[in-house]
Amino acid sequence: MKEFRIQSFVLILISFVLGFSEFIIIGILDDLAKEFSVNVATVGYLVTIFAMVYAISTPIITSTLKHNLYHAMLVLAIIFTFGNALTIFAPNYTVLVISRIIVAIVSGALVSLSLTFATVIAPIQKRAWLVSWIFSGFSVASVFGVPLGTWISTTFGWRITFITITIFSLLTIFLIIKTLPHNLVQQKQGNILQQFIIFKDPRIYLGVILQTCSLAGIYVFYTYLRPIFSKSLNFDPSLITILLTVYGVMSLISNQASGKIADYKGLKAMPTLYAIEFVLLGAMPLLLANTWLGTINIMLVGAFMYLINSPLQLHIMGVAERDYPQSLVLASSLNSIFSNLGISLGSAAGGLVVANLGLNRVGLGGSVFIAFALIATIMLNKVNAAQKA
């Protein structure tokens, strides 16, 4: 049992470090823009590029992992660490982009490998617990990692933030070597192209459209959260870390509430929740004129950020288990892939909104995507009802 606890800690640490590296750009957007003499919208495209590369590379890499998975994890973790180390020494914006692409290429595959290890090392009664905590590692990174990295960046410089991430990465590699089983080999699976038949089912393609639009709606605004706090709401720089921490807590609450929704009404509850989120984002330009109303509005949006995750994940896996067992591997990664596609789309749209309409209009841009998410949810619920009839 002691060995299981240590191995579980290592797998959760991996997701924390991955989340820390991915989300930190949100917290240091202003610092990077100043360092490389580019506007905030340009730096915001780092989030777009990262998410797009993540979404494309994850199914490709995971489908080619045919041999020892311990060695694969080790190699990917080393590449991940190299990418973050390269960021430390980036002399210009181009090298910064390249370093982020390197990190993005391997991040999704590392998540998949962590989940694979979890199913092997965990007793059957502990598997769901460990898998949920691996996903929660990203929320913990949002709650603690991003504010910590932002404080380090503000106090000592953004390069020190990436030195911190690199140290965490090196520690993680050491723990992987010392604790995880070295002989895990992936079972033979069909070619990933053979699994794509699942996309012919409206319950699946409506689901991934829903996930994409949901995350896109949030990331139009979330990508520019720090500039909104500092420039739109005029908070003192010393308070930004606290505000990011509070927002992270709200997103963690959102994750926990997502599980409750899945147990309660599932996707049937989402149209009402998306309607509320649409209003919150649509009202953001007006509410940002007042510091405290704007702050309350932002925190409420944070509470809606991840509500779709559990209901949709259970829906997709349920469809795959019942009707497309050959597509289970692909189905298990759809949430991650299309979340990052949504992040990429939303952050790109946010950049266009900021560049052309101004920072305070990002909420309106987000509300457009949430309207599409609302429509997709209604259609998906109708399809599900028709299947059961």
Side-chain angles (χ1 to χ4, degrees), residues 76-88 99 102-103 166 169 173:
L76 293 175
I78 290 170
I79 295 171
F80 173 83
T81 304
F82 169 76
N84 283 300
L86 181 60
T87 303
I88 298 169
S99 71
I102 292 171
V103 172
T166 303
S169 302
I173 290 173

Side-chain angles (χ1 to χ4, degrees), residues 206-222:
L206 285 172
V208 298
I209 290 171
L210 167 57
Q211 183 70 14
T212 301
C213 291
S214 185
L215 267 292
I218 288 293
Y219 268 79
V220 172
F221 128 83
Y222 182 55

Side-chain angles (χ1 to χ4, degrees), residues 120-142:
V120 172
I121 67 173
I124 187 75
Q125 69 273 18
K126 289 285 188 178
R127 285 180 184 174
W129 172 86
L130 180 52
V131 168
S132 68
W133 266 104
I134 289 173
F135 280 118
S136 293
F138 289 91
S139 294
V140 175
S142 178

Side-chain angles (χ1 to χ4, degrees), residues 171-218:
L171 173 63
T172 303
I173 290 173
F174 173 78
L175 292 174
I176 288 172
I177 294 171
K178 290 293 185 181
T179 65
L180 295 185
H182 292 198
N183 56 354
L184 179 59
V185 178
Q186 177 160 295
Q187 299 299 315
K188 186 176 180 180
Q189 297 173 354
N191 189 292
I192 193 171
L193 294 177
Q194 297 171 349
Q195 302 178 34
F196 271 65
I197 190 173
I198 195 172
F199 286 107
K200 293 183 177 181
D201 195 312
R203 294 171 295 173
I204 297 299
Y205 66 69
L206 285 172
V208 298
I209 290 171
L210 167 57
Q211 183 70 14
T212 301
C213 291
S214 185
L215 267 292
I218 288 293

Side-chain angles (χ1 to χ4, degrees), residues 318-340:
V319 172
E321 287 172 356
R322 287 189 303 270
D323 301 325
Y324 305 95
Q326 80 281 5
S327 302
L328 277 174
V329 173
L330 179 61
S332 67
S333 63
L334 292 183
N335 195 312
S336 176
I337 292 169
F338 286 93
S339 289
N340 277 277

Side-chain angles (χ1 to χ4, degrees), residues 98-362:
I98 292 170
S99 71
R100 297 302 292 166
I101 288 174
I102 292 171
V103 172
I105 286 172
V106 299
S107 290
L110 280 168
V111 175
S112 297
L113 284 172
S114 294
L115 293 169
T116 302
F117 271 90
T119 60
V120 172
I121 67 173
I124 187 75
Q125 69 273 18
K126 289 285 188 178
R127 285 180 184 174
W129 172 86
L130 180 52
V131 168
S132 68
W133 266 104
I134 289 173
F135 280 118
S136 293
F138 289 91
S139 294
V140 175
S142 178
V143 174
F144 298 107
V146 173
L148 172 63
T150 303
W151 176 80
I152 291 173
S153 179
T154 303
T155 308
F156 303 106
W158 66 269
R159 295 182 194 272
I160 306 300
T161 297
F162 278 95
I163 289 175
T164 305
I165 293 172
T166 303
I167 291 171
F168 271 113
S169 302
L170 290 170
L171 173 63
T172 303
I173 290 173
F174 173 78
L175 292 174
I176 288 172
I177 294 171
K178 290 293 185 181
T179 65
L180 295 185
H182 292 198
N183 56 354
L184 179 59
V185 178
Q186 177 160 295
Q187 299 299 315
K188 186 176 180 180
Q189 297 173 354
N191 189 292
I192 193 171
L193 294 177
Q194 297 171 349
Q195 302 178 34
F196 271 65
I197 190 173
I198 195 172
F199 286 107
K200 293 183 177 181
D201 195 312
R203 294 171 295 173
I204 297 299
Y205 66 69
L206 285 172
V208 298
I209 290 171
L210 167 57
Q211 183 70 14
T212 301
C213 291
S214 185
L215 267 292
I218 288 293
Y219 268 79
V220 172
F221 128 83
Y222 182 55
T223 303
Y224 298 93
L225 184 57
R226 182 178 173 182
I228 289 171
F229 281 141
S230 62
K231 296 176 181 177
S232 298
L233 297 176
N234 297 310
F235 278 105
D236 187 89
S238 62
L239 294 174
I240 300 299
T241 299
I242 296 172
L243 291 165
L244 290 173
T245 302
V246 175
Y247 187 90
V249 170
M250 297 303 291
S251 71
L252 187 58
I253 291 171
S254 182
N255 261 320
Q256 296 298 312
S258 177
K260 300 294 184 183
I261 292 169
D263 287 335
Y264 177 50
K265 294 182 68 176
L267 290 173
K268 293 178 181 178
M270 292 311 300
T272 300
L273 296 172
Y274 275 129
I276 296 171
E277 188 176 356
F278 174 82
V279 172
L280 289 172
L281 285 167
M284 190 175 287
L286 295 174
L287 297 178
L288 288 178
N290 181 282
T291 298
W292 296 110
L293 287 179
T295 302
I296 292 170
N297 176 256
I298 287 170
M299 298 307 172
L300 287 175
V301 172
F304 281 77
M305 191 169 185
Y306 295 124
L307 293 182
I308 188 60
N309 282 356
S310 292
L312 189 59
Q313 181 71 11
L314 291 176
H315 163 76
I316 289 175
M317 292 306 295
V319 172
E321 287 172 356
R322 287 189 303 270
D323 301 325
Y324 305 95
Q326 80 281 5
S327 302
L328 277 174
V329 173
L330 179 61
S332 67
S333 63
L334 292 183
N335 195 312
S336 176
I337 292 169
F338 286 93
S339 289
N340 277 277
L341 182 61
I343 291 169
S344 177
L345 183 62
S347 57
L352 292 174
V353 172
V354 171
N356 294 285
L357 300 177
L359 190 59
N360 284 11
R361 298 293 188 272
V362 289

